[in-house]
Amino acid sequence: ILRHVSAAFEEDPVRILRGLRFAAQLGFILEDSTRLLMARAVPLLARVSGERIRDELVKLFKAPHAAHGAPLGNPPARARHH
């Protein structure tokens, strides 16, 4: 489980994509409150260069568990178990 522990997403919004990529590469599950913080911070990506976003997305889509890289649209983990 990956968990948010600082104001990292506000400092560098690319960390949102990097977190998704780590989940996709390593098969981790993002903790529910972390996913919520990531989703809320997505508008901050507008201040990031397209090249940086592209680079992270390419790495994300090449990851072995790429389906894990799209958790912002998935229901919280506790909802998936009911």
Side-chain angles (χ1 to χ4, degrees):
I1 294 180
L2 293 177
R3 181 176 297 143
H4 179 276
V5 294
S6 71
F9 302 136
E10 292 80 18
E11 294 167 3
D12 182 5
V14 171
R15 290 177 178 154
I16 299 165
L17 300 175
R18 198 164 298 133
L20 297 175
R21 177 170 57 90
F22 288 154
Q25 286 179 328
L26 304 172
F28 289 154
I29 295 171
L30 295 168
E31 194 265 337
D32 290 343
S33 64
T34 300
R35 282 191 309 112
L36 181 60
L37 289 169
M38 292 169 85
R40 288 181 180 162
V42 164
L44 299 175
L45 286 168
R47 67 181 197 211
V48 176
S49 74
E51 292 82 6
R52 288 186 70 206
I53 292 171
R54 179 207 56 220
D55 291 348
E56 284 300 324
L57 289 175
V58 167
K59 292 174 188 175
L60 168 63
F61 295 141
K62 289 182 177 181
H65 305 281
H68 290 237
L72 297 181
N74 293 344
R78 65 184 165 277
R80 290 192 301 265
H81 297 292
H82 292 103

